[in-house]
């Protein structure tokens, strides 16, 4: 009984697969097999039992629908899963059955399974992030001299370059990716504490088994179990939230640039993207809308996770039980945003002519600040601003260029030579540190290297 | 590719089924069939086309995995679904294919499908709520004279009755159920507006088709389409949030009463409930933990929905695309909380002896307020409180009953006769309006009637 | 020590005043004076004590800075406030001091004070809502024939009218206002339960005192105290959340219409609004930005409130203590959104010429659906859509009107007469039920009447 | 017009002061003075103007009530503040007035002021965190051998030590403090970009002025302005959220341990803490309730911040305008949680006798797992669990110790010698790796050093 349709916009193919019953079950099996091996290595259980468990631990031996139902009844996947695995092992090797899940508690297998899934999620997210970052770097270089309107509160302002804009997106996404990496590194730790977090039933063997188990699974061993200390996971979901916020900002910008009336950029179509059932002429910002949808959903999901952190004593009543859906949805939402904006960054079409035309359409009024600054040096700021405001008003009213209007004002003309006036509305002449900032954002990228990503 | 395991604690059987691919697809088919019939009735399309569409619209003709993938690409389920349905119809009756989805937009079918699912969710929730309310009513009557500690900030206070406590849970849950009913009534409205919400492509026939379509589907017809006005859905998810908060409060109370050291009540075990994989002696508050998990998750989900409400112009970019997972998860979380607390209310075991013993264990110090009030009438409040504080301190230190200590204090003894002292620690004598409040909470229930629920 | 600056965009003058120390203190005093009077009426305390309390209960007798500090230490405002009031009374009438706060608990005064503040907040919000609704009604009538682009996913679509758009905003805001009214009505109830919610210290007099107290304060008397049943407040803050979402949608729409490149509407300037420190030419959507800021903040605040609902037993540890800032911030944010959009609705300037020009600038491609529908009746939908898609492509490429391109296509020309073609791009001819929907939204308004608002 | 009362539980003295009008104003003045000096150093404005600005920039020259009102009208504090400062300077040195705020935009001063406040917030939080961490370290050592019930889902389980419990709290809080430090370090960067983020009006001088300005203010210079890239702030508020979650977990645990029926620990009273207005006998968990209130509020506030991250183009419409209240409330809530739990950690009273008694009261049933494990080695797990379950049932029913009951069961007695049975219920014998985990958590602390904190 799949629920792909209702969640179709909230996940990607690879991540839906990752959190599917088969993968969740496999991750729990991986824990139990590794546990048995670790315990056999430490002499806690017979090697033959470990072998029997390993050979019996096949996903197809389980009825996941029944497991889901029993999980709901038990309030945790660990109990019915361990029972079911015990039965599977028993049917093949009765003596080994008693050693299944030895010394572990239900939360050990559930938490470690989640961590194993997160470990597999990381490269999926990283690959799309890398695609996105590389494309933004390329775009930033390609359009480093392409001027466009700066826009503040959705109003036209002095020019920026599309190269700077792309570098700004890149900077935030790259910082977000670095935080995400760090959070993954910290969160990918084994959970293994037994009934109450002391591994008491393993006596002296606890540390050895724990280390061997971590090694088997390729996870770090934390200082101690963390059944009710969820800060590492919290930090991971927060880093997803911050990154998706930055991806959402990029998506918002591009969806605004795609407006018919602006038309400065467009996300790529193709492969089912962009159409409308009733309006054949439209090119919709579909990928952007999915990233924005993710950015709408994630803040609440992060809040849900943070509110579960207040977990009671050695094992929680309610807080922990809320985590699986939250974490898996956050990872999937982050994946949607990442994949969508990678696709957009790779395929975006940029329209420099239209950017130029939209600047032109302001009749130079966006250079009012520039004019005022130039005049202020001569006339003082107050007088300069008065004059320029008058000029802007006239320019708007008469639909003439600001330069023309200014040139006709004697007080202006006497303090601004004709060359200055001629250059006043040249966007390239009023970019300040745009390219310096752009380069700094890109250099930083290169400095941080991270070739392995 | 099902994801039941990762979400096993976040849904119930009936609600998981309701939001499964099959039901979502069926709801979309219901819309299209009803639309074709309504348009045939209004003479907009041929009756034969409507018949052909109706007979072709079978869920098993669709590949839901492909539909989910195409939905992700299109950014909406409506477009690939309408295309797929058109192909199915075409394969049976080419002339009818052109009339599929006539005049509708993709959001019309998606929104109305969601509404149809919500309509089916309502009785599922209502049934559990009714079970819960009836059991609480019964409990409140049964234990109307059972005294127990009142507890404030988790500290012991003057007594209440378990009957009042149950009535308090009932009152909040009943109010929540009434708000939920009202929100459902308001939200179960047709969505039908065409490309931009004006039904322009239907010309003069818009209103007639819309009314017939609403009738076919058993939905109310709203004043106008609501593609970007999502307040009715928002109000529905909020009412789920408030109700689940009240259910969570009941769950928190009961999980606290179940503590080994308190032991005044216990949720029912059985059918896989309550066990521990490593601790055979435990009876865990599983149902309560699931209700609490729902109460942890819902606030963030409600926030997500509210933040999607800022939807652009005639159709949103991002806000709408976030809704399906949010709404379906909220309904399912509400269902988990409702079913869990219905189960608890029906099967809770109450331990009046332990309640009495826990009162007794306070050595009468919880009646300090009572003593102070009685003395204040004679000695003024300040002096009365001083005396009682001294007595409480002594009582705690010497582990003797407050009454004994007070009786030995001359200033007290001269103003409090022996009978008053004897009755001071009798819980039944210090219940104030407990039963009046309890009855008022129950009467209100009966007054509101609602036999149809 | 005021914190107005950091919160300057998060409140309005009247609401900042309402939640100021003076008003909060006054509301607590109102409770204590009314309690004393009610208890005197019921013969519980001497009338002279009630009179003494009433005459001593003046805000200027209190040191609010100390009260705030002591509140932090006590974890509740009620305890230090009652102590301070007792001292104030004692300094005037020692015998009356002992009757201050008689039978009440700290949460009684704190909760009732909050309710009294909410009661005063209601007309403030209602007044702005009424202004907003009336102006939208007027706008909807005034611009009922003003056509403009419908916009879906920020792309141009078939036309709507500005009258319909305004009616859509109105419909949602009016529904939100009605929900808010209902939530206020339900939430404006007395809190009075004493130490543990049974009014035990008042013996038989509890109900009489409670009723008299409610009457004194002009509040409804609920069935029972609600110290840990916070659903009524939760419902109120949710209704604020939903309403602000609808106001935010209106603000988003208008801020988008104000874009230089769109320029179809503008919020009013004046009184400090709209300027830029560095760009004298700009008219910024300030009121819209404040409404949007409120819509950004409220979802999280609502989530915070919902998560506090899980309150323990008879009085909570943590949940209740979180409420005051949340509720007051939600009311203030709602007030900011309401006042801002009332100001916008009253002063918005609409530019029908630009609306027409923006339609014109699409070269008729927004009528592609219309053309396809007309042709489909003759050629079948598939062929019709193919033809129209070709025409749209050609129209975009050659920057010619869709009608022109279509007229040159023989297959089209043979099935579409010249008059149909001439009318194809006339917006007024393709409005479908726009005005019907508009009227229904307005009529509903009039039907619901509510003259008293 | 202060609003201290309504927010009294949501802030601390030092943090309320930090975000008061005086400090906010001072931070904005600090920016302008530093800007003037930096520009004078770079030769952009005359040194005399910088001196005049510096000498005029005194908080008492401003009317903060008016400034708050004007800020609301302008939609940003920067515009009215810069105007007011200009007037103040003009009244002293007309020629200097024109150089106030030169080249900056309103968001530059507002953002940098916020950063300056955050810089001052850091040591306030750090000091309390350090107090908390040190006390927890001490507690962990002091009670390293003090056994107590482990509790899972609020039910009794095998023993832990209070030393381990304290180390668990410490571990999470320390990790949280480290994340917070890192987030502060990243977030404490200058904002300076001018109208649209290019510093265009400064021409070639942008970089030099920016560096000098950062130096003046003791802030790092970021690669580029970040007017709409808010990830650094987002990361900071997230780290506050995670830390407060961990503090809330500690508060929840202690409030549960303080229950009358548990009585294993108590937060310190004194200085107005812990009392009840109506119940003189109570010692309430006030500090814990405030930390829990903070933990309730913060998740929603974090969600609000994350949802504001989707900011448009070069300056946002709505998202940015929502930030100040959110950030200041998160910092203050974090401060409440930190100060409260520092106070608790420093003054907590621990009751080892009661801990022992609560273990004893379980009659050994918490060692059922231990018994089952020991027997499993001989009898296989299934049989062992059956036997132990029977024994637990009998022990509960007959209120006898598990050991006694087991000793009477022949199948048990034949596989468990009397010494093993005697030791079965000795908590110290079943602590597994408790002390190893505890030490690892503490060692890690020492390794990370951070003496400067």
């Amino acid at each position: 009984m799949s629920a792909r349709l209702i969640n179709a916009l909230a996940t990607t193919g690879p991540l839906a697969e990752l959190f599917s019953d088969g993968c969740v079950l496999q991750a729990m099996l991986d824990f139990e097999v590794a546990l048995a091996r670790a315990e056999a290595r430490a002499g806690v259980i017979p090697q033959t039992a470990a072998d029997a468990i390993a050979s019996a631990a096949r996903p197809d031996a389980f009825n996941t629908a029944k497991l889901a139902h029993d999980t709901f009844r038990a309030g945790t996947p660990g109990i019915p899963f361990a029972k079911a695995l015990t039965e599977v092992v028993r049917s093949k090797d009765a003596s080994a059955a008693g050693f299944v899940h030895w010394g572990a508690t239900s939360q050990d297998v559930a938490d470690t399974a989640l961590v194993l899934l997160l470990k597999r999620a990381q490269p999926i997210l990283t690959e799309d992030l890398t695609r996105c970052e590389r494309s933004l770097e390329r775009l930033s270089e390609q359009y480093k001299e392409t001027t466009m309107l700066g826009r503040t509160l959705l109003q036209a302002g002095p020019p920026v370059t599309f190269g700077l804009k792309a570098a700004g997106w890149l900077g935030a996404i790259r910082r977000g990716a670095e935080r995400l990496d760090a959070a993954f590194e910290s969160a990918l730790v084994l959970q293994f504490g037994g009934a109450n977090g002391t591994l008491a039933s393993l006596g002296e063997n606890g540390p050895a088994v724990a280390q061997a188990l971590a090694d088997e699974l390729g996870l770090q061993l934390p200082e101690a179990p963390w059944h009710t200390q969820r800060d590492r996971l919290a930090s991971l979901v927060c880093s997803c939230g911050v990154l998706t916020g930055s991806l959402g900002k990029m998506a918002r910008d591009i969806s605004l640039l795609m407006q018919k009336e602006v038309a400065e950029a467009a996300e790529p179509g193709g492969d089912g993207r962009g159409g409308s059932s009733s309006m054949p002429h439209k090119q919709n910002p579909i990928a952007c809308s999915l990233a924005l949808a993710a950015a709408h959903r994630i803040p609440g999901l992060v809040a849900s996770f943070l509110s579960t952190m207040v977990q009671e004593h050695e094992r929680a009543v309610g807080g922990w039980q809320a985590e699986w859906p939250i974490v898996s949805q956050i990872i999937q939402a982050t994946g949607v945003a990442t994949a969508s904006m990678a696709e957009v960054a790779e395929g975006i079409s940029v329209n420099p002519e239209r950017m130029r035309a939209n600047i032109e359409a302001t009749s130079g009024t966006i250079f009012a600040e520039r004019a005022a600054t130039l005049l202020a040096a001569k006339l003082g700021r107050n007088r300069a601003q008065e004059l320029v405001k008058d000029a802007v008003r006239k320019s708007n009213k008469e639909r003439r260029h600001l330069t023309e209007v200014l040139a006709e004002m004697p007080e202006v003309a006497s303090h601004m030579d004709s060359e200055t006036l001629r250059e006043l509305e040249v966007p390239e002449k009023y970019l300040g540190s745009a390219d310096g900032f752009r380069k700094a954002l890109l250099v930083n990228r290169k400095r941080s290297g991270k070739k392995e990503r």
Side-chain angles (χ1 to χ4, degrees), chain A:
Chain A
M1 190 166 53
S2 165
R4 283 299 305 277
L5 279 180
I6 202 86
N7 294 310
L9 304 183
T11 189
T12 66
L15 290 171
E17 166 74 23
L18 181 61
F19 291 106
S20 69
D21 291 346
C23 287
V24 172
L25 180 57
Q26 185 63 57
M28 294 200 289
L29 289 170
D30 290 347
F31 173 86
E32 298 292 351
V33 169
L35 174 63
R37 284 182 179 144
E39 292 181 329
R41 233 200 284 170
V44 173
I45 70 168
Q47 182 64 46
T48 52
D51 293 343
I53 291 167
S55 85
R58 309 213 166 280
D60 51 17
F62 293 80
N63 176 340
T64 53
K66 181 177 183 326
L67 195 49
H69 172 267
D70 293 351
T71 294
F72 181 79
R73 297 304 305 167
T76 168
I79 295 177
F81 164 73
K83 269 190 205 162
L85 176 59
T86 302
E87 291 320 304
V88 171
V89 173
R90 188 187 317 285
S91 71
K92 309 209 168 174
D93 180 344
S95 68
F99 297 105
V100 168
H101 195 63
W102 187 268
T105 192
S106 58
Q107 198 179 333
D108 289 338
V109 55
D111 277 351
T112 302
L114 180 64
V115 169
L116 291 171
L117 295 175
L118 293 173
K119 194 182 176 190
R120 290 179 51 195
Q122 187 179 12
I124 298 174
L125 297 178
T126 298
E127 189 188 323
D128 283 335
L129 281 167
T130 305
R131 283 169 55 209
C132 187
E133 293 173 50
R134 286 195 186 144
S135 295
L136 287 175
E137 225 170 325
R138 177 182 53 74
L139 286 169
S140 183
E141 287 290 348
Q142 183 174 352
Y143 295 103
K144 66 183 169 188
E145 294 175 352
T146 304
T147 54
M148 64 189 296
L149 284 175
R151 291 177 174 96
T152 61
L153 290 102
L154 291 181
Q155 298 300 303
V160 296
T161 64
F162 186 71
L164 174 60
K165 207 169 181 91
W169 298 331
L170 171 64
I173 291 167
R174 190 199 56 224
R175 289 189 298 270
E178 287 169 0
R179 282 183 211 105
L180 183 67
D181 274 352
F184 264 120
E185 195 181 324
S186 154
L188 296 181
V189 293
L190 178 72
Q191 178 68 286
F192 186 50
N196 61 345
T198 65
L199 289 177
S201 73
L202 292 179
E204 301 296 305
N205 296 307
V209 173
Q211 184 63 62
L213 177 52
D215 293 347
E216 285 279 344
L217 293 169
L219 298 176
Q220 294 294 311
L221 184 66
E223 303 94 342
W226 43 282
H227 292 128
T228 49
Q229 298 292 4
R230 316 301 285 183
D231 56 298
R232 291 181 185 96
L233 283 180
S235 197
L236 176 61
V237 301
C238 281
S239 73
C240 287
V242 176
L243 171 62
T244 304
S246 296
L247 291 162
K249 185 264 187 289
M250 175 182 164
R252 172 70 54 83
D253 282 357
I254 292 173
S255 68
L256 289 167
L257 295 179
M258 279 180 77
Q259 292 172 100
K260 175 78 185 167
E261 298 89 347
V262 178
E264 298 184 1
E267 66 167 64
D271 190 13
R273 278 278 148 90
S276 157
S277 70
S278 51
M279 290 173 279
H281 64 288
K282 282 183 67 178
Q283 169 70 11
N284 283 322
I286 298 304
C288 288
S289 77
L290 297 186
L292 285 165
H296 273 299
R297 287 177 58 233
I298 275 200
L301 290 166
V302 169
S304 292
F305 193 93
L306 291 177
S307 94
T308 67
M309 288 184 70
V310 178
Q311 300 200 358
E312 294 82 6
H313 292 315
E314 279 59 66
R315 198 98 46 80
V317 55
W320 179 80
Q321 290 80 359
E323 287 183 4
W324 272 24
I326 302 173
V327 173
S328 63
Q329 286 160 27
I330 288 175
I331 295 292
Q332 289 173 88
T334 306
V336 168
T338 306
S340 299
M341 298 322 290
E343 183 177 326
V344 171
E346 286 182 346
I348 193 172
S349 61
V350 177
N351 190 335
E353 294 73 31
R354 189 63 187 250
M355 289 171 173
R356 172 67 63 159
N358 286 335
I359 292 175
E360 180 67 16
T362 69
S363 301
T365 52
I366 59 165
F367 298 101
E369 177 201 43
R370 188 180 193 195
T373 305
L374 291 168
L375 288 170
K378 312 284 172 59
L379 299 166
R381 191 160 57 171
N382 267 28
R383 183 62 193 143
Q385 288 191 343
E386 276 171 30
L387 285 171
V388 172
K389 270 193 189 174
D390 286 347
V392 168
R393 229 171 277 127
K394 206 171 179 188
S395 160
N396 282 336
K397 198 177 165 191
E398 303 177 3
R399 306 193 179 197
R400 295 166 59 208
H401 269 265
L402 182 66
T403 325
E404 279 177 59
V405 175
L406 285 169
E408 293 168 7
M409 296 168 80
E411 200 173 350
V412 172
S414 63
H415 290 99
M416 217 183 243
D417 61 34
S418 61
E419 192 182 326
T420 305
L421 270 170
R422 243 195 332 272
E423 284 197 349
L424 186 71
E425 294 189 18
V426 178
E428 286 73 12
K429 299 284 178 184
Y430 200 60
L431 289 172
S433 302
D435 208 54
F437 291 148
R438 192 189 69 79
K439 280 180 190 149
L441 287 161
L442 260 68
V443 163
N444 189 297
R445 162 69 182 154
K446 280 161 188 159
R447 192 171 54 210
S448 85
K450 309 269 279 169
K451 287 194 193 72
E452 73 285 11
R453 280 188 48 212

